């Protein structure tokens, strides 16, 4: 979906400065699958952006919602099945949008960690509904998180993130499966 904002997307990419998605079409299809699980409308722009070493959910000043992703970063997540790794990261970023996190102003590190856990739980829920194995999902978050004290970090530690993933995964399992 194009809202005539390609220059804004380019600007976002430049200011933030590649996935097993072999093309933008693959990334778009992955986004469609994630959104189908929760019945959400596709109101996000997917924007590949080199050299940010991450994926980021962002809402612009004009209200347009983006998921900006580094193709190389997505390719580097190779634990287990790369497909599920990319889906996990994309689902996490969608979780930020679905939960309204990109609309918040400045957050304390504590509040930022809570938002990360909410996005992790959302990702666990979605991946369970899509048929991912819980161990594969946990391996993804095991690779991208750290152990230890998270007091001064914007992201929770590995244990807290894995617990959030499992919580979302189990909520989905207890709520029935989709086909």
């Amino acid at each position: 979906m194009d809202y005539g904002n390609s220059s804004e997307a380019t600007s976002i990419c430049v200011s933030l400065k590649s996935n097993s998605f072999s093309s933008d079409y693959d990334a778009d299809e992955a986004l469609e699958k994630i959104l189908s699980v929760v019945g959400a409308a596709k109101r996000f722009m997917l924007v590949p952006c080199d050299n940010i070493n991450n994926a980021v959910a962002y809402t612009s000043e004009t209200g347009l919602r983006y998921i900006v992703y580094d193709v190389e970063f997505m390719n580097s997540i190779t634990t287990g099945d790369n497909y599920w790794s990319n889906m996990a990261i994309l689902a996490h970023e969608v979780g930020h949008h679905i939960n309204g996190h990109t609309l918040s102003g400045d957050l304390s590190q504590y509040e930022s960690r809570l938002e990360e856990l909410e996005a992790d739980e959302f990702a666990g829920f979605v991946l369970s509904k899509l048929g991912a194995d819980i161990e594969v999902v946990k391996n993804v978050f095991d690779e991208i998180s750290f152990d230890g004290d998270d007091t001064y970090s914007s992201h929770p530690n590995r244990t807290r993130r894995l617990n959030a993933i499992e919580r979302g995964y189990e909520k989905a399992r207890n709520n029935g499966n989709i086909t």
Side-chain angles (χ1 to χ4, degrees):
M1 189 175 288
D2 184 5
Y3 299 102
N5 57 347
S6 60
S7 63
E8 184 176 53
T10 301
S11 174
I12 292 167
C13 178
V14 170
S15 72
L16 289 172
K17 303 225 196 211
S18 280
N19 90 32
S20 74
F21 301 129
S22 59
S23 69
D24 291 337
Y25 175 79
D26 291 339
D28 198 54
E29 285 291 306
L31 180 59
E32 291 280 350
K33 286 180 184 178
I34 290 166
L35 295 173
S36 74
V37 169
V38 294
K42 185 176 171 219
R43 303 279 304 191
F44 309 101
M45 294 285 300
L46 282 173
V47 180
C49 179
D50 293 337
N51 299 318
I52 61 169
N53 197 32
N54 207 341
V56 179
Y58 176 79
T59 299
S60 73
E61 290 179 15
T62 62
L64 297 173
R65 298 188 294 176
Y66 296 92
I67 295 176
V68 182
Y69 63 96
D70 185 323
V71 177
E72 273 189 50
F73 171 74
M74 296 294 276
N75 276 335
S76 73
I77 307 299
T78 58
T79 299
D81 185 350
N82 206 33
Y83 171 80
W84 289 118
S85 298
N86 287 299
M87 290 295 280
I89 292 166
L90 188 56
H92 173 92
E93 297 307 325
V94 169
H96 281 303
H97 279 300
I98 295 292
N99 285 300
H101 299 160
T102 61
L103 304 173
S104 314
D106 290 333
L107 299 174
S108 70
Q109 288 177 322
Y110 174 79
E111 292 167 316
S112 179
R113 287 190 301 274
L114 290 179
E115 287 189 352
E116 291 300 324
L117 292 172
E118 289 174 358
D120 288 345
E121 187 171 331
F122 178 85
F125 180 92
V126 166
L127 294 169
S128 177
K129 289 291 189 179
L130 291 174
D133 179 89
I134 186 61
E135 293 307 316
V136 171
V137 176
K138 287 168 57 175
N139 284 339
V140 172
F141 285 85
D142 189 55
E143 184 172 321
I144 63 173
S145 58
F146 67 95
D147 245 344
D149 185 10
D150 61 10
T151 303
Y152 301 106
S153 174
S154 62
H155 285 69
N157 66 29
R158 180 174 297 128
T159 301
R160 294 177 66 203
R161 293 192 80 176
L162 293 175
N163 287 341
I165 289 291
E166 286 186 69
R167 220 174 15 259
Y169 195 91
E170 287 306 314
K171 278 184 184 178
R173 288 179 46 90
N174 294 331
N175 195 14
N177 290 323
I178 62 169
T179 58

